[in-house]
Amino acid sequence: MSEVRVRFPPSPTGYLHIGGARTALYNWLFARKYNGKLILRIEDTDADRSTQESIDGIISGLQWLGLDWDEGPYFQTQFTHEHSAAAERLLNEGKAYKCFCTREELEDKRKAALAAKQDYKYDGLCRRLTAAETAEKEAKGLPFVIRFKVDRHEIGGVSFKDQVLGVVSRTYNDIEDFVIVRSNGKPLYLLCNVVDDIRDRISHVIRGQDHLGNTARQILLYRALAAPVPEFAHMPLTLDLQKAKISKRSHGEIVAVQFYQKAGFLPWALCNFLALLGWSTSDNQEIFSRQELIAAFSLDRINKANSIFNYRKGDPKFFTDPKAISINEHYLRTMPIAELVPLVADKLREAGLWQDEYAAGQKEWFISTLDLIRSRFHTINDFVTLGRAYFSDDYEFEERAVKKNILKHEKLREWLPELADRLESLPDFTHQNIEEIMRGLAAEFGIKPGILINGARAVSTGLLAGPGMFEVAAALGRERMVGRLRHKTAGLYK
Ligand code: GLU
């Protein structure tokens, strides 16, 4: 393959959407796979809707995801003169013309076509103006747009082989003489995008199917500007379970990359999930390291059918697509602990739970505790919410844990402080010794060990479930364990 040059050209009119992030990811994977270049181009020509906040959000979102680019960010507004020059050139070469039809005239024609049950297309009236007529209208100061002249003498239409969809064709009859420059002199997106892709020497345009309708017209522009036409690959759209496009308006924050950052996702886990939202390997592999994904990725395995973002609003169990969560859990539980430590440390700092000792005298304890508790966690945030009891005495009690594992057994009020006394006098506070004590004591009380174990868990961590209680007790340490069993139990019965 000749040099691969791809681009991610977001319009900075909002947050970085997960659909946009997926487009960036696919382009990034393709560039990395073929040792190509990824160009970041901010398409900011819509001055009314583009914002600096959105530009910052897009850039920081890409950085967080680890999707690095090789050139840019370029800004489309830097090249306005090139866009105008291209329109000028098309005019001079007779490939475009000035159109003086007014909005009202066009609207009347549209209505007439509608009434006659015909598709409306611009009838090319101004295409037939002579040079003198055009000059006369211009001299009068009449406003005009510039339209591209679709060559209707050619038989057939525009065909291209889309890398995802196969051959896509449009007949010339379906393509009207489209506007490339507005009456205020501003070139339209369709033209700017092509001019920029030509300048950036883009070899592959990998974008969403929502742009498929532009492609035939854009190919005509490439040809008219005597530039090589890039390969196109149109990715499926991402829909919700009701088959509606996912959007912030209907789905809220969960469609924004930033949400996942705040929710404690691992950036690569999100990339891995997004990769599968519209692409798969023949054996449906789900977990990919960066290198594996780069090696496995190919345009011809992008799905033709729209992909489904499996999000059930209000589902208490899953705050986003369960697959995204399960992929995040996988990485959280299996990643090298040394990589996890700084991420958790940051979250603890943010929550005011960090102690410098965790990086000094208690470093070993800190690492082994993270390793223990991560087996049940879904996100990095869980270390400061569900894991709070490991870092602070001020933690909350899950209502279900208190009801089911404390209040149900009135006698735990005595049993747990008794357990505290026994643990206090243990020579070595190891999980084996703790187990022996707890099982022995349960036998003495004539109860199932589970009652004592679950009660101890509820009191010492506030939670209904967690890793093995003997390991948990060892991780919490003698002093905290004894203190909590002794002093926190009674309070739960009030
Ligand atoms: N600026 C366009 C968008 O954000 C990108 C179009 C393209 O990829 O060609 O949808």
Side-chain angles (χ1 to χ4, degrees):
M1 206 180 291
S2 56
E3 196 194 8
V4 164
R5 292 178 60 85
V6 290
R7 74 320 188 251
F8 178 54
S11 305
T13 54
Y15 53 92
L16 180 61
H17 186 282
I18 51 173
R22 186 190 62 165
T23 304
L25 173 68
Y26 284 16
N27 278 284
W28 179 85
L29 288 167
F30 193 70
R32 295 295 165 259
K33 175 159 182 158
Y34 294 105
N35 286 320
K37 297 275 189 285
L38 172 63
I39 290 123
L40 175 60
R41 188 174 70 224
I42 308 286
E43 297 203 319
D44 58 344
T45 27
D46 186 343
D48 293 339
R49 295 179 60 225
S50 299
T51 66
Q52 188 58 42
E53 191 189 350
S54 168
I55 295 172
D56 296 344
I58 289 166
I59 290 180
S60 68
L62 292 174
Q63 284 168 336
W64 178 70
L65 287 167
L67 303 179
D68 55 339
W69 54 92
D70 307 288
E71 288 179 26
Y74 299 134
F75 291 86
Q76 196 158 53
T77 43
Q78 294 172 318
F79 302 100
T80 314
H81 57 286
E82 286 187 18
H83 308 142
S84 300
E88 203 58 38
R89 173 178 157 194
L90 293 173
L91 268 181
N92 292 340
E93 292 179 6
K95 295 170 179 167
Y97 60 91
K98 293 176 182 165
C99 169
F100 299 88
C101 294
T102 64
R103 200 180 288 266
E104 294 73 32
E105 284 162 356
L106 295 176
E107 199 42 47
D108 287 348
K109 287 182 185 176
R110 190 189 308 275
K111 281 187 189 146
L114 210 71
K117 294 201 168 36
Q118 280 167 359
D119 281 343
Y120 170 75
K121 230 176 346 76
Y122 178 61
D123 58 9
L125 184 70
C126 292
R127 190 197 246 254
R128 294 185 284 275
L129 293 177
T130 62
E133 286 166 334
T134 300
E136 194 188 315
K137 285 181 187 287
E138 256 195 288
K140 280 195 201 148
L142 296 181
F144 62 87
V145 299
I146 300 178
R147 286 184 185 270
F148 182 77
K149 200 187 273 180
V150 178
D151 191 351
R152 302 198 183 278
H153 301 301
E154 253 181 88
I155 304 166
V158 186
S159 272
F160 63 97
K161 189 169 178 298
D162 188 89
Q163 302 282 311
V164 176
L165 303 170
V167 176
V168 177
S169 306
R170 298 273 310 271
T171 65
Y172 288 122
N173 261 341
D174 292 336
I175 310 173
E176 70 172 5
D177 286 352
F178 51 95
V179 178
I180 53 174
V181 177
R182 286 198 184 86
S183 57
N184 62 7
K186 290 217 163 109
L188 258 95
Y189 160 74
L190 214 62
L191 175 67
C192 304
N193 184 253
V194 166
V195 169
D196 292 343
D197 280 347
I198 295 172
R199 184 196 52 254
D200 291 336
R201 291 178 290 119
I202 298 303
S203 61
H204 294 73
V205 170
I206 306 169
R207 62 184 177 187
Q209 272 180 34
D210 43 341
H211 291 286
L212 188 60
N214 294 333
T215 309
R217 286 175 291 165
Q218 291 195 313
I219 289 175
L220 293 178
L221 288 172
Y222 280 99
R223 290 187 193 154
L225 291 166
V229 179
E231 298 285 351
F232 287 92
H234 288 93
M235 308 182 300
L237 303 178
T238 300
L239 307 179
D240 68 8
L241 287 165
Q242 285 73 40
K243 307 266 159 71
K245 252 183 104 169
I246 53 168
S247 70
K248 198 162 181 181
R249 186 147 29 96
S250 18
H251 302 89
E253 298 290 327
I254 53 129
V255 304
V257 167
Q258 237 188 8
F259 168 82
Y260 294 84
Q261 188 173 0
K262 282 200 212 121
F265 257 67
L266 297 161
W268 183 252
L270 186 59
C271 286
N272 190 150
F273 166 71
L274 291 176
L276 303 177
L277 208 58
W279 171 89
S280 59
T281 52
S282 56
D283 60 355
N284 284 318
Q285 184 178 334
E286 294 222 317
I287 299 291
F288 295 85
S289 69
R290 277 170 107 81
Q291 289 319 316
E292 279 173 333
L293 192 57
I294 291 168
F297 185 76
S298 68
L299 297 178
D300 62 358
R301 294 231 33 114
I302 294 178
N303 302 338
K304 286 190 182 60
N306 291 327
S307 45
I308 301 295
F309 182 62
N310 189 356
Y311 166 62
R312 284 162 234 261
K313 212 174 181 167
D315 183 338
K317 213 154 159 240
F318 298 110
F319 62 92
T320 183
D321 189 321
K323 188 184 260 183
I325 299 177
S326 87
I327 292 176
N328 200 55
E329 286 163 2
H330 169 84
Y331 283 105
L332 196 65
R333 294 167 193 183
T334 56
M335 69 195 284
I337 194 81
E339 286 174 26
L340 181 64
V341 167
L343 303 178
V344 177
D346 280 348
K347 287 283 174 193
L348 290 175
R349 272 189 205 102
E350 271 171 39
L353 293 174
W354 173 255
Q355 293 180 32
D356 289 339
E357 273 298 290
Y358 297 160
Q362 290 183 28
K363 191 169 169 185
E364 224 172 283
W365 170 83
F366 186 66
I367 292 174
S368 63
T369 298
L370 297 196
D371 202 19
L372 173 69
I373 62 183
R374 70 170 165 168
S375 65
R376 294 283 182 138
F377 287 174
H378 317 289
T379 68
I380 310 263
N381 288 9
D382 288 347
F383 287 90
V384 300
T385 52
L386 298 175
R388 193 175 168 95
Y390 294 87
F391 310 107
S392 165
D393 284 328
D394 176 21
Y395 53 92
E396 304 220 327
F397 292 89
E398 278 180 344
E399 206 183 304
R400 283 188 319 147
V402 175
K403 259 199 197 141
K404 188 164 168 225
N405 292 336
I406 303 286
L407 301 185
K408 224 168 102 192
H409 308 281
E410 178 64 29
K411 293 280 267 182
L412 277 171
R413 218 178 164 147
E414 292 154 33
W415 292 336
L416 291 176
E418 173 73 27
L419 173 62
D421 295 343
R422 302 281 176 105
L423 292 177
E424 192 170 38
S425 56
L426 254 188
D428 282 319
F429 205 68
T430 61
H431 71 89
Q432 292 90 342
N433 290 347
I434 296 165
E435 174 163 12
E436 214 180 295
I437 291 287
M438 287 179 93
R439 290 195 189 281
L441 198 60
E444 268 179 49
F445 295 147
I447 54 170
K448 282 196 209 131
I451 295 179
L452 203 58
I453 290 170
N454 290 331
R457 172 181 288 112
V459 169
S460 62
T461 66
L463 304 181
L464 186 69
M469 186 54 210
F470 314 122
E471 281 88 353
V472 165
L476 287 170
R478 186 198 309 266
E479 202 183 318
R480 276 200 297 200
M481 199 60 209
V482 169
R484 289 176 186 184
L485 291 173
R486 222 170 246 165
H487 306 298
K488 294 223 181 213
T489 306
L492 295 175
Y493 284 94
K494 278 173 193 149

